[in-house]
Amino acid sequence: MCYLQRGNDVKLLVAKSAGFCFGVKRAMDLALEAARKDPKRLHTLGPLIHNPQAVEYLENLGVKVKERVEDVPGGTVIFRSHGVSLQDLKKARRRRLRIIDATCPMVKRAQRFAKFLHRHGYALMIVGDADHPEVEAIRSYIDEKVHVVGGVESAGRLGPWEKLGVIAQTTQSSGLFREVVASVLERSKEVRVFNTICQATTIRQKEAIDIARKVDCMVVVGGYNSGNTQRLASICKEVQPRTYHIEKAGDLRSRWLTGRKRVGLTAGASTPHWIIKDVEAELQRLKDSKS
Ligand code: SF4
């Protein structure tokens, strides 16, 4: 599950699941391949992944970020792993842009379940962040009101329901999803649930909790704007209050290791391997300097 580095008094436990998931890796590979073939007039709709260092790397290869389809001057547009709204898809087609669709298959699966529930007359509830692009995209395919809830409290303000369908943002915490489902069951005649949390997220969260339980300081690496990294850090914090969310090696503080015997390290799904390696090396250097 993880490996333990020995050497000095401080031990470092690194999560095997840290870093790019299958969907993010696929999106990066598609963008890199496109940049290699023809970097001219290559754009992503929004940052390809929620990691500023990786986005900068792509920009240096010629992949430009545009926030709106209207801003793409022509050429190719890459849809990121979070998916794209129906409106943006239509606009891109109307403008005859070449489309590279890097939407993660797990996100497409969540979109399919949302459409299925809607088609079969269920009111739709998504457990997730209302302003996350993945959730915005899922909502756009349903032409009626979609209820997005961040937890039991907001779910409790809604209902009662005759027929309710519940799905989750793919990177949602499994514990929170279970709590919301249990709470809506009490106020509904019929509830249909599709667990759309992707396996990569479930494995990463389980491993992170497992490591956080064994250490006395936990470091979670990933973009400050990355929802899945923020969630990972908050899950770890529940188990280990000395959890620190950092973006890069330079954000580490040596005082965090003072008096610590075991340090855990994990990273969000959009964190590049090289950043994790940098953080690992810096942790190693800091712990060596303390021994
Ligand atoms: S976290 Fe899961 S759903 Fe999101 S891109 Fe990665 S594999 Fe796909």
Side-chain angles (χ1 to χ4, degrees):
M1 205 166 184
C2 61
Y3 62 87
L4 195 61
Q5 292 185 340
R6 294 176 193 281
N8 301 297
D9 280 337
V10 188
K11 286 166 184 159
L12 184 60
L13 278 81
V14 186
K16 276 188 185 163
S17 57
F20 280 2
C21 60
F22 143 79
V24 168
K25 184 174 180 313
R26 178 174 168 270
M28 274 299 270
D29 287 348
L30 285 169
L32 291 172
E33 192 193 339
R36 190 175 48 79
K37 283 186 182 155
D38 184 13
K40 289 190 293 297
R41 305 213 304 163
L42 187 55
H43 312 87
T44 59
L45 192 57
L48 188 71
I49 59 176
H50 283 154
N51 185 279
Q53 291 77 18
V55 171
E56 192 184 330
Y57 177 77
L58 285 171
E59 265 175 0
N60 289 334
L61 297 176
V63 186
K64 297 185 186 69
V65 179
K66 297 290 176 194
E67 291 303 330
R68 304 177 319 151
V69 179
E70 295 86 320
D71 300 333
V72 178
T76 301
V77 63
I78 304 175
F79 294 151
R80 55 193 174 175
S81 55
H82 304 314
V84 67
S85 72
L86 182 61
Q87 294 78 4
D88 282 342
L89 177 63
K90 283 182 177 168
K91 276 187 223 164
R93 283 183 179 154
R94 240 186 343 257
R95 298 197 52 214
R96 298 186 183 282
L97 298 171
R98 182 177 163 248
I99 293 172
I100 297 177
D101 187 0
T103 306
C104 175
M106 296 297 112
V107 172
K108 287 215 164 150
R109 178 175 167 267
Q111 292 176 353
R112 275 200 304 277
F113 281 136
K115 287 181 205 166
F116 172 90
L117 288 166
H118 178 57
R119 220 175 30 246
H120 288 83
Y122 292 86
L124 182 65
M125 178 179 279
I126 306 174
V127 183
D129 305 327
D131 53 0
H132 191 280
E134 179 191 318
V135 174
E136 285 173 351
I138 295 174
R139 291 171 87 161
S140 74
Y141 291 91
I142 310 296
D143 51 14
E144 273 170 35
K145 188 165 172 50
V146 175
H147 306 281
V148 183
V149 298
V152 174
E153 208 178 297
S154 45
R157 289 195 286 271
L158 302 167
W161 313 95
E162 284 291 321
K163 283 179 80 172
L164 178 67
V166 191
I167 63 168
Q169 188 178 335
T170 53
T171 51
Q172 189 52 261
S173 128
S174 321
L176 191 134
F177 186 52
R178 271 197 303 273
E179 283 172 23
V180 171
V181 169
S183 82
V184 296
L185 270 174
E186 290 170 10
R187 284 169 295 106
S188 313
K189 285 201 177 144
E190 183 187 343
V191 182
R192 185 116 192 227
V193 181
F194 287 107
N195 183 357
T196 49
I197 299 174
C198 80
Q199 216 197 358
T201 299
T202 308
I203 291 170
R204 183 188 314 271
Q205 289 177 355
K206 274 195 185 143
E207 193 184 16
I209 291 169
D210 201 28
I211 293 177
R213 283 204 180 109
K214 293 180 180 142
V215 297
D216 46 17
C217 168
M218 187 78 194
V219 176
V220 181
V221 192
Y224 293 128
N225 60 346
S226 155
N228 83 82
T229 311
Q230 289 167 6
R231 212 162 292 116
L232 199 60
S234 107
I235 288 169
C236 290
K237 216 175 180 95
E238 282 172 23
V239 181
Q240 173 45 260
R242 280 185 294 264
T243 292
Y244 304 99
H245 175 181
I246 62 163
E247 210 169 75
K248 55 190 185 311
D251 301 336
L252 282 170
R253 294 292 168 265
S254 69
R255 66 173 184 278
W256 296 344
L257 301 196
T258 306
R260 310 290 162 236
K261 292 288 176 208
R262 286 167 168 243
V263 177
L265 174 62
T266 189
S270 43
T271 312
H273 188 63
W274 84 80
I275 294 181
I276 302 169
K277 283 284 153 207
D278 273 2
V279 171
E280 201 179 323
E282 182 62 7
L283 276 171
Q284 196 74 38
R285 193 188 68 74
L286 289 174
K287 80 184 183 70
D288 288 348
S289 71
K290 292 206 171 281
S291 60

